Amino acid sequence: MTVLIAGDIGGTKTILRLVEVTESTVNFNNLLEITYPSQRYPHLVPMVQEFLGQTNYKPDRACFAIAGPVVKQVSQLTNLDWQLDANHLKEELNLETVSLINDFAAISYGVLGLKTNELETLQTVEAQNDAPIAVIGAGTGLGEGFLTPLGNGDYLVFGTEGGHTEFPPRSELEFRLLEYIKEQKQIDRVSVERVVSGQGIVSIYQGLRDLKIITDYNSTVAEMIKKWEETETTEIDPAAVISQAAQAETDPLSEKTMEIFIEAYAAEAGNLALKLMPYGGLYIAGGIAAKNLSLIKNSRFLEVFKQKGRVSPILDAVPIHIVLNSQVGLLGSIMYGLSIT
């Protein structure tokens, strides 16, 4: 019997799950799961120690999916001031093995274990088993990963930092928003993640408001965003406030914000698809897509995704799925953690 700690560590929240494995295959029983606000802890170790204090089980190993690059089992998180080293974690937590894996590598493992009812298909095309699979997902940041087939039903999985490539504006409005973000953030370069993410939703809203591009707005939404700007209270999730108002169709400013966000998301997904030719499937993960499913399905997402000039037709053969299972990264970290000997 093996007891494993699986973790999905993000800039906003960390999910820890304790699982018991009684067979050599990936069959496990969930023993305990707790979600923690990441920024309230100075490091992962005290969080895990607090977690283990809630159970009498003694874990053998751990696998943590990290929102940031992992190099030689060391990671400096992108959106959290933590540096993690697998060897140090192993010693401090008194475990036999600790594995660190990029969060989108974990999601990439996880999509292999998803069931049909955990997916919403945007483009129904038969997947090619010998072709790559692409994974993209906007949440606190923007993650991208991919899988390449080995020919025996197995895949090599790779996480990337593709979300940190330059944001390519496609219209005069997007150029104006690009310059606004540069000035607001006091930066010389704007990555795709600055637009296609939760923070991007907020920046788009602020740009449309401050540049007076959209002057028709919901005062309640505006007051909540202003309160968050002035206090940075964790009681308000500004991206959620904006997206919910857009879904309810109660705020023209929020609706335009989400329209721009979704089309920028689609354009980046199309760029990723052109680079990988993922005829095994493109999976859209991250928390934002599933929570805004109706907006995406009623948007120009597919049209913009395939707006690639002369090569547009090659994207017709890419199966596109939105991942509905919010814990796909956790599932992937369990699968990866159990595969390490």
Side-chain angles (χ1 to χ4, degrees):
M1 181 183 72
T2 298
V3 178
L4 167 78
I5 307 170
D8 186 1
I9 302 173
T12 303
K13 66 179 180 180
T14 292
I15 305 172
L16 297 178
R17 181 188 290 182
L18 197 66
V19 299
E20 178 186 49
V21 185
T22 56
E23 302 176 20
S24 59
T25 56
V26 185
N27 293 313
F28 49 84
N29 299 317
N30 294 324
L31 302 175
L32 177 67
E33 180 179 316
I34 301 177
T35 299
Y36 296 91
S38 302
Q39 296 180 0
R40 292 186 184 176
Y41 292 81
H43 196 270
L44 179 60
V45 170
M47 180 189 291
V48 174
Q49 290 172 336
E50 181 178 321
F51 173 74
L52 292 177
Q54 305 300 311
T55 179
N56 293 322
Y57 284 93
K58 175 67 174 67
D60 311 287
R61 57 176 63 188
C63 180
F64 301 110
I66 310 297
V70 177
V71 180
K72 296 182 179 180
Q73 289 299 289
V74 176
S75 177
Q76 175 65 58
L77 275 72
T78 305
N79 293 303
L80 195 62
D81 188 25
W82 291 0
Q83 185 176 55
L84 302 179
D85 183 310
N87 288 328
H88 292 166
L89 290 171
K90 174 184 171 181
E91 294 174 3
E92 294 185 61
L93 296 173
N94 192 27
L95 298 170
E96 293 177 10
T97 63
V98 171
S99 302
L100 303 182
I101 182 174
N102 172 266
D103 58 343
F104 263 78
I107 288 173
S108 298
Y109 277 106
V111 299
L112 296 174
L114 291 174
K115 301 172 183 177
T116 304
N117 63 359
E118 294 176 307
L119 298 169
E120 178 72 26
T121 299
L122 294 183
Q123 182 159 276
T124 304
V125 186
E126 185 175 355
Q128 299 178 18
N129 294 330
D130 60 348
I133 294 171
V135 184
I136 185 171
T140 302
L142 176 66
E144 298 181 1
F146 64 99
L147 305 86
T148 58
L150 295 175
N152 57 0
D154 292 330
Y155 289 84
L156 283 175
V157 174
F158 301 90
T160 81
E161 291 301 320
H164 294 282
T165 57
E166 282 82 3
F167 170 66
R170 299 171 301 112
S171 66
E172 181 182 350
L173 175 55
E174 288 189 353
F175 271 107
R176 293 182 67 186
L177 290 172
L178 172 71
E179 293 302 318
Y180 173 84
I181 294 171
K182 283 184 179 180
E183 183 177 349
Q184 182 196 48
K185 303 293 184 181
Q186 297 185 331
I187 53 178
D188 296 324
R189 173 186 177 276
V190 175
S191 67
V192 181
E193 181 178 83
R194 295 276 189 179
V195 179
V196 184
S197 64
Q199 62 177 309
I201 290 174
V202 179
S203 291
I204 295 168
Y205 178 97
Q206 292 171 321
L208 294 175
R209 177 197 65 192
D210 295 349
L211 297 173
K212 301 190 185 306
I213 295 169
I214 303 293
T215 57
D216 186 7
Y217 60 87
N218 181 302
S219 59
T220 301
V221 173
E223 288 170 8
M224 292 182 72
I225 300 302
K226 199 68 176 176
K227 180 179 179 181
W228 173 81
E229 290 172 332
E230 292 172 350
T231 65
E232 294 189 357
T233 173
T234 56
E235 295 178 1
I236 296 175
D237 180 345
V241 169
I242 294 164
S243 67
Q244 288 165 10
Q247 290 179 69
E249 299 182 348
T250 57
D251 181 23
L253 178 52
S254 294
E255 291 173 50
K256 186 62 176 179
T257 296
M258 293 306 295
E259 176 188 315
I260 293 170
F261 167 80
I262 289 170
E263 292 188 9
Y265 202 164
E268 176 61 13
N271 290 340
L272 180 64
L274 282 182
K275 294 170 184 175
L276 297 175
M277 309 292 278
Y279 296 136
L282 170 71
Y283 290 81
I284 303 169
I288 295 176
K291 293 176 182 177
N292 292 276
L293 190 58
S294 61
L295 288 178
I296 292 175
K297 292 178 69 175
N298 293 320
S299 72
R300 296 174 60 243
F301 187 96
L302 280 180
E303 180 183 341
V304 174
F305 172 82
K306 293 187 280 190
Q307 242 172 26
K308 302 301 178 186
R310 294 170 294 171
V311 296
S312 296
I314 66 177
L315 298 183
D316 289 334
V318 177
I320 305 174
H321 312 284
I322 293 179
V323 175
L324 304 179
N325 183 340
S326 63
Q327 296 190 350
V328 60
L330 198 63
L331 173 62
S333 65
I334 293 170
M335 295 171 66
Y336 181 80
L338 295 176
S339 71
I340 299 298
T341 57

